[in-house]
Short mmCIF file of all heavy atoms in Angstrom, two decimals:
data_model
loop_
_atom_site.label_atom_id
_atom_site.label_comp_id
_atom_site.label_asym_id
_atom_site.label_seq_id
_atom_site.Cartn_x
_atom_site.Cartn_y
_atom_site.Cartn_z
N LEU A 998 -3.54 13.44 15.32
CA LEU A 998 -3.22 12.28 14.48
C LEU A 998 -2.32 11.30 15.23
O LEU A 998 -2.44 10.08 15.07
CB LEU A 998 -2.54 12.75 13.19
CG LEU A 998 -2.40 11.71 12.07
CD1 LEU A 998 -3.72 11.05 11.75
CD2 LEU A 998 -1.82 12.37 10.83
N PHE A 999 -1.45 11.84 16.06
CA PHE A 999 -0.58 11.00 16.89
C PHE A 999 -1.44 10.10 17.78
O PHE A 999 -1.24 8.88 17.84
CB PHE A 999 0.34 11.88 17.74
CG PHE A 999 1.30 11.13 18.62
CD1 PHE A 999 2.57 10.82 18.19
CD2 PHE A 999 0.93 10.74 19.91
CE1 PHE A 999 3.47 10.13 19.00
CE2 PHE A 999 1.80 10.05 20.73
CZ PHE A 999 3.08 9.75 20.27
N CYS A 1000 -2.42 10.69 18.48
CA CYS A 1000 -3.29 9.93 19.37
C CYS A 1000 -4.12 8.90 18.61
O CYS A 1000 -4.34 7.79 19.09
CB CYS A 1000 -4.23 10.88 20.13
SG CYS A 1000 -3.43 11.77 21.47
N LEU A 1001 -4.57 9.28 17.43
CA LEU A 1001 -5.36 8.36 16.62
C LEU A 1001 -4.53 7.13 16.24
O LEU A 1001 -5.02 5.99 16.30
CB LEU A 1001 -5.87 9.06 15.36
CG LEU A 1001 -6.94 10.13 15.57
CD1 LEU A 1001 -7.13 10.95 14.29
CD2 LEU A 1001 -8.27 9.49 15.97
N ARG A 1002 -3.30 7.35 15.84
CA ARG A 1002 -2.42 6.23 15.46
C ARG A 1002 -2.13 5.33 16.66
O ARG A 1002 -2.13 4.10 16.54
CB ARG A 1002 -1.13 6.76 14.85
CG ARG A 1002 -1.30 7.36 13.46
CD ARG A 1002 0.05 7.56 12.78
NE ARG A 1002 -0.13 8.12 11.44
CZ ARG A 1002 0.29 9.32 11.07
NH1 ARG A 1002 0.92 10.09 11.93
NH2 ARG A 1002 0.10 9.76 9.84
N VAL A 1003 -1.86 5.95 17.80
CA VAL A 1003 -1.58 5.16 19.00
C VAL A 1003 -2.81 4.34 19.38
O VAL A 1003 -2.70 3.14 19.71
CB VAL A 1003 -1.15 6.08 20.16
CG1 VAL A 1003 -1.02 5.28 21.46
CG2 VAL A 1003 0.17 6.77 19.83
N MET A 1004 -3.98 4.95 19.33
CA MET A 1004 -5.22 4.25 19.68
C MET A 1004 -5.42 3.03 18.78
O MET A 1004 -5.70 1.92 19.26
CB MET A 1004 -6.41 5.20 19.55
CG MET A 1004 -7.75 4.58 19.92
SD MET A 1004 -9.14 5.74 19.74
CE MET A 1004 -9.28 5.78 17.94
N VAL A 1005 -5.25 3.22 17.48
CA VAL A 1005 -5.42 2.11 16.55
C VAL A 1005 -4.34 1.05 16.77
O VAL A 1005 -4.62 -0.16 16.74
CB VAL A 1005 -5.39 2.62 15.09
CG1 VAL A 1005 -5.31 1.47 14.11
CG2 VAL A 1005 -6.63 3.47 14.81
N GLY A 1006 -3.13 1.49 17.03
CA GLY A 1006 -2.03 0.54 17.25
C GLY A 1006 -2.27 -0.37 18.44
O GLY A 1006 -2.10 -1.60 18.33
N VAL A 1007 -2.69 0.19 19.58
CA VAL A 1007 -2.90 -0.66 20.76
C VAL A 1007 -4.13 -1.56 20.59
O VAL A 1007 -4.17 -2.67 21.12
CB VAL A 1007 -3.02 0.18 22.06
CG1 VAL A 1007 -1.68 0.79 22.43
CG2 VAL A 1007 -4.09 1.24 21.95
N ILE A 1008 -5.12 -1.08 19.83
CA ILE A 1008 -6.29 -1.94 19.54
C ILE A 1008 -5.84 -3.18 18.78
O ILE A 1008 -6.25 -4.31 19.08
CB ILE A 1008 -7.35 -1.17 18.73
CG1 ILE A 1008 -8.05 -0.13 19.61
CG2 ILE A 1008 -8.39 -2.13 18.14
CD1 ILE A 1008 -8.98 0.79 18.85
N ILE A 1009 -4.99 -3.00 17.77
CA ILE A 1009 -4.53 -4.11 16.95
C ILE A 1009 -3.68 -5.07 17.78
O ILE A 1009 -3.83 -6.30 17.70
CB ILE A 1009 -3.76 -3.60 15.73
CG1 ILE A 1009 -4.72 -2.86 14.78
CG2 ILE A 1009 -3.08 -4.74 14.98
CD1 ILE A 1009 -4.06 -2.10 13.66
N LEU A 1010 -2.80 -4.53 18.63
CA LEU A 1010 -1.99 -5.40 19.50
C LEU A 1010 -2.89 -6.17 20.45
O LEU A 1010 -2.71 -7.38 20.66
CB LEU A 1010 -0.98 -4.56 20.29
CG LEU A 1010 0.11 -3.84 19.49
CD1 LEU A 1010 1.12 -3.20 20.44
CD2 LEU A 1010 0.82 -4.77 18.53
N TYR A 1011 -3.87 -5.50 21.04
CA TYR A 1011 -4.81 -6.15 21.96
C TYR A 1011 -5.55 -7.28 21.24
O TYR A 1011 -5.71 -8.38 21.77
CB TYR A 1011 -5.81 -5.11 22.47
CG TYR A 1011 -6.85 -5.63 23.45
CD1 TYR A 1011 -6.69 -5.44 24.83
CD2 TYR A 1011 -8.00 -6.29 23.01
CE1 TYR A 1011 -7.65 -5.90 25.73
CE2 TYR A 1011 -8.95 -6.76 23.90
CZ TYR A 1011 -8.77 -6.56 25.25
OH TYR A 1011 -9.72 -7.02 26.15
N ASP A 1012 -5.98 -7.02 20.02
CA ASP A 1012 -6.74 -8.00 19.26
C ASP A 1012 -5.92 -9.24 18.95
O ASP A 1012 -6.45 -10.35 18.85
CB ASP A 1012 -7.26 -7.38 17.96
CG ASP A 1012 -8.29 -8.25 17.27
OD1 ASP A 1012 -9.32 -8.54 17.88
OD2 ASP A 1012 -8.04 -8.65 16.11
N HIS A 1013 -4.60 -9.07 18.81
CA HIS A 1013 -3.73 -10.21 18.54
C HIS A 1013 -3.37 -10.97 19.81
O HIS A 1013 -3.11 -12.18 19.76
CB HIS A 1013 -2.44 -9.75 17.84
CG HIS A 1013 -2.60 -9.53 16.37
ND1 HIS A 1013 -2.28 -10.48 15.44
CD2 HIS A 1013 -3.08 -8.47 15.67
CE1 HIS A 1013 -2.53 -10.03 14.22
NE2 HIS A 1013 -3.02 -8.80 14.33
N VAL A 1014 -3.37 -10.29 20.95
CA VAL A 1014 -2.92 -10.92 22.20
C VAL A 1014 -4.09 -11.54 22.97
O VAL A 1014 -3.98 -12.66 23.49
CB VAL A 1014 -2.18 -9.89 23.09
CG1 VAL A 1014 -1.92 -10.47 24.47
CG2 VAL A 1014 -0.88 -9.48 22.42
N HIS A 1015 -5.21 -10.83 23.06
CA HIS A 1015 -6.35 -11.32 23.84
C HIS A 1015 -6.99 -12.52 23.12
O HIS A 1015 -7.25 -12.45 21.91
CB HIS A 1015 -7.38 -10.21 24.02
CG HIS A 1015 -8.39 -10.50 25.09
ND1 HIS A 1015 -9.41 -11.39 24.91
CD2 HIS A 1015 -8.51 -10.03 26.36
CE1 HIS A 1015 -10.14 -11.45 26.00
NE2 HIS A 1015 -9.61 -10.65 26.91
N PRO A 1016 -7.26 -13.60 23.84
CA PRO A 1016 -7.83 -14.80 23.20
C PRO A 1016 -9.13 -14.53 22.44
O PRO A 1016 -9.37 -15.12 21.38
CB PRO A 1016 -8.08 -15.75 24.39
CG PRO A 1016 -7.12 -15.30 25.44
CD PRO A 1016 -6.99 -13.82 25.27
N ALA A 1017 -9.98 -13.64 22.98
CA ALA A 1017 -11.26 -13.36 22.33
C ALA A 1017 -11.19 -12.15 21.41
O ALA A 1017 -12.13 -11.87 20.66
CB ALA A 1017 -12.35 -13.16 23.38
N GLY A 1018 -10.12 -11.38 21.47
CA GLY A 1018 -9.96 -10.22 20.60
C GLY A 1018 -10.58 -8.95 21.14
O GLY A 1018 -11.13 -8.91 22.25
#
Side-chain angles (χ1 to χ4, degrees):
L998 193 52
F999 181 93
C1000 284
L1001 290 168
R1002 288 194 179 115
V1003 173
M1004 181 181 74
V1005 169
V1007 290
I1008 288 172
I1009 293 170
L1010 295 187
Y1011 181 100
D1012 191 59
H1013 279 264
V1014 171
H1015 195 285

